[in-house]
Amino acid sequence: MQSTPCRCCYGSTAAIYTAREPTTCLQAPSASTSSGTSHCCLHALPTALPQTQSIAVYGLITALAVALRVFWARASVKRQQPAPAGPDPVTLKPDLVRVKDAEFGRGLFSAQQVIKGDVLILDAPDVRIREHDIVMMHARMVEQGLSSSRYACICRLLHIQDGFRILDKLADGSKGYFDPDILEEMETGAMQASLGRGPAVLEQFRAGLLTFQSNAWRGQGYMGLYSRVCLVNHSCNPNVEVSCAGNFVKVHALRSIDCGEELLAN
């Protein structure tokens, strides 16, 4: 059988070129097939191009997979790192305050002479209720077909965090400190949160909400119960100031305070 030039060498022979005929390329051979027939680079291109594309696509997918793995690894590390909540309370001396009986129940007293600006207390909350948690609890109660007010959500969250055990250690709240509208809202919340749990739970929620409202300190986006700070009594002539520093609450002196003097905040 007579060989004919391949189509890459003579375009005029493309019409008579068939796959059955062995082809002889007039250009310099660059590759050989298994049958020994030589090809020029252009003649071999249609079969080599798909393989090149596959390698390129595979490399691109591998690079993307590695980049995503690195991204998620860095993101997980950032999520695990706690946000700075404030100074370390361990740096404070533990003997700066004492708990004693005061004119109105118990109170905190200075255990030594302090000067203006000294930090006497820096505590983390025993119980913390975030505004985000209240919103999520409201959505959950509505989904369950339950009536849900703000105080009902607070009751549920206190129960989950064992907050009523902490509240039992704090001073009882007094109804005389609150407006009738606030008292009515707390009563409604206690009834909603204790629905179907009996009168004992209802009474616990009533007293707990009153104590919580009397002792909780509000931070940025949350409310917290601080066992020691809750003992700081009120005065129109304060000698300390209570402020929130991240997740901590701080009590610092507004003036010089003598040893044994009660700490009073406005």
Side-chain angles (χ1 to χ4, degrees):
M1 184 180 295
Q2 185 179 1
S3 298
T4 59
C6 69
R7 70 182 76 184
C8 61
C9 300
Y10 292 104
S12 59
T13 62
I16 61 173
Y17 174 82
T18 61
R20 297 178 180 178
E21 296 178 334
T23 59
T24 301
C25 183
L26 300 183
Q27 299 183 25
S30 60
S32 298
T33 64
S34 59
S35 61
T37 305
S38 297
H39 297 264
C40 67
C41 57
L42 294 178
H43 193 63
L45 183 60
T47 58
L49 185 59
Q51 184 179 5
T52 305
Q53 290 177 337
S54 300
I55 294 174
V57 171
Y58 178 79
L60 179 60
I61 293 175
T62 303
L64 288 175
V66 172
L68 285 174
R69 187 173 300 176
V70 172
F71 172 80
W72 284 115
R74 291 179 177 177
S76 62
V77 170
K78 288 183 179 180
R79 286 195 299 267
Q80 293 173 2
Q81 292 176 348
D88 185 3
V90 179
T91 59
L92 297 178
K93 296 180 180 180
D95 56 349
L96 291 179
V97 295
R98 291 283 187 272
V99 180
K100 297 181 180 180
D101 291 332
E103 182 179 357
F104 301 100
R106 293 184 301 167
L108 284 182
F109 293 78
S110 175
Q112 62 184 47
Q113 179 77 25
V114 297
I115 62 175
K116 181 180 180 180
D118 281 353
V119 178
L120 292 91
I121 298 176
L122 188 61
D123 286 346
D126 299 289
V127 176
R128 185 179 70 159
I129 296 180
R130 301 180 302 172
E131 292 296 332
H132 173 73
D133 297 331
I134 295 177
V135 173
M136 297 301 294
M137 178 59 70
H138 172 75
R140 186 185 306 175
M141 293 180 68
V142 170
E143 185 176 325
Q144 296 173 354
L146 301 174
S147 298
S148 173
S149 63
R150 178 178 177 84
Y151 283 108
C153 296
I154 292 175
C155 273
R156 289 289 186 93
L157 293 170
L158 286 171
H159 181 71
I160 292 173
Q161 299 185 42
D162 198 20
F164 289 101
R165 180 180 57 84
I166 304 297
L167 290 170
D168 290 340
K169 302 177 181 180
L170 303 179
D172 296 334
S174 174
K175 293 183 178 180
Y177 294 145
F178 302 103
D179 294 332
D181 292 342
I182 299 296
L183 294 174
E184 184 178 352
E185 290 179 15
M186 287 192 285
E187 175 69 18
T188 302
M191 294 179 64
Q192 291 174 345
S194 63
L195 184 64
R197 301 189 180 190
V201 175
L202 173 59
E203 187 59 34
Q204 181 190 36
F205 284 2
R206 280 173 176 165
L209 278 178
L210 192 60
T211 303
F212 178 82
Q213 189 71 20
S214 301
N215 292 276
W217 289 87
R218 180 177 293 277
Q220 186 174 1
Y222 74 93
M223 295 175 289
L225 288 174
Y226 303 85
S227 299
R228 290 201 300 174
V229 179
C230 291
L231 296 174
V232 177
N233 288 315
H234 174 270
S235 174
C236 294
N237 185 25
N239 55 12
V240 296
E241 183 179 48
V242 181
S243 59
C244 292
N247 192 34
F248 290 81
V249 70
K250 179 174 66 174
V251 178
H252 68 272
L254 293 176
R255 58 172 176 79
S256 296
I257 301 176
D258 296 329
C259 180
E261 185 177 351
E262 184 179 6
L263 307 182
L264 300 171
N266 189 348

